[in-house]
Amino acid sequence: TEGKYCINNPGSYRCEECHESCEGNCTAEGPKGCIECTKGYTKTEDEGCKDVDECSENSTICENGKFCDNTPGSFACRVCHSACETCIGEGASGCTKCTSGYKMADNECKDVDECSAEEHDCNKDSQKCRNMPGSFTCDCKKGFKRDGDQCVKNGKKEVVKDDDDDRVDDDGDDDDDDEDEDNDKEEKTGDNSKSDSTGREEL
């Protein structure tokens, strides 16, 4: 059977799967038993079918921002750590060049604390610098609120008077003054009526 090799047993036999590095049939177990090697392997006298390390053979096989990870019979391009601009392995220790906001220290890319280093543009009166991985942000201080990209002082609410509390006529006089004038007119009219009545009685 293709992809298998035969093992003789007393009075019988059994078929076993060929090694993953074998292309087609094999004569024994392991990579040494391969007749031909599958893609990603090469035939050697000492080890039989040996894995080809594509990563070491071609250092630029992966695009920038990724590193080559050799796998049995193949390879994979994996994304670099966020601290790396270029890398040769996983993690911040695999960086060969740091991205903005990081610097190389102790053979790995470490975050730059812009706040402690005073490398920020936050307004010292209204904002407070807060460090973030690879960057920083400006938070509003107590008593200030966000207005776009600025922080402004919290304003007090204006007290709006009810229009009914202080109504003014079109001529500029208060309604109370008009009411007093109407009362004076009524009193004068009453006095004039009394005088006319008394005069008629004397006649």
Side-chain angles (χ1 to χ4, degrees):
T1 305
E2 188 174 355
K4 293 184 178 181
Y5 65 97
C6 180
I7 297 178
N8 187 55
N9 290 324
S12 183
Y13 71 94
R14 74 177 190 273
C15 294
E16 294 287 343
E17 294 284 345
C18 295
H19 189 265
E20 62 179 0
S21 62
C22 301
E23 177 70 31
N25 291 330
C26 59
T27 57
E29 65 176 343
K32 283 188 176 184
C34 300
I35 299 174
E36 297 291 338
C37 299
T38 191
K39 185 179 179 181
Y41 292 85
T42 184
K43 194 74 175 282
T44 64
E45 187 176 345
D46 295 333
E47 300 179 47
C49 289
K50 183 180 180 181
D51 174 51
V52 175
D53 189 347
E54 295 86 356
C55 300
S56 62
E57 287 188 351
N58 185 357
S59 60
T60 60
I61 197 169
C62 294
E63 61 186 19
N64 283 340
K66 294 183 178 181
F67 68 94
C68 183
D69 181 19
N70 188 58
T71 59
S74 186
F75 69 96
C77 291
R78 308 195 188 281
V79 178
C80 295
H81 188 272
S82 58
C84 311
E85 184 171 323
T86 56
C87 67
I88 55 173
E90 62 182 350
S93 59
C95 301
T96 54
K97 185 178 180 181
C98 302
T99 190
S100 177
Y102 293 85
K103 65 179 180 180
M104 188 66 72
D106 300 326
N107 296 320
E108 68 177 276
C109 289
K110 293 185 177 181
D111 174 52
V112 175
D113 188 344
E114 293 87 355
C115 300
S116 298
E118 295 292 330
E119 296 177 0
H120 62 85
D121 56 359
C122 298
N123 187 301
K124 293 183 178 180
D125 295 327
S126 62
Q127 298 175 331
K128 183 179 179 181
C129 180
R130 176 162 56 91
N131 188 57
M132 299 178 68
S135 184
F136 67 93
T137 187
C138 300
D139 295 329
C140 292
K141 288 184 176 180
K142 188 176 181 181
F144 291 83
K145 64 180 180 180
R146 177 69 58 187
D147 183 12
D149 59 352
Q150 302 293 323
C151 292
V152 297
K153 281 190 175 181
N154 288 324
K156 294 182 178 179
K157 283 188 176 180
E158 293 183 5
V159 178
V160 180
K161 289 186 177 180
D162 192 338
D163 292 341
D164 295 335
D165 293 343
D166 190 20
R167 290 176 299 180
V168 179
D169 291 342
D170 292 339
D171 59 1
D173 296 331
D174 291 345
D175 288 344
D176 292 342
D177 293 342
D178 292 342
E179 192 173 323
D180 292 341
E181 289 180 3
D182 292 340
N183 291 336
D184 291 343
K185 288 179 181 179
E186 290 179 2
E187 289 178 0
K188 287 179 182 180
T189 303
D191 292 343
N192 290 337
S193 298
K194 278 184 179 182
S195 300
D196 293 344
S197 177
T198 304
R200 284 198 295 271
E201 288 179 359
E202 289 177 355
L203 290 173

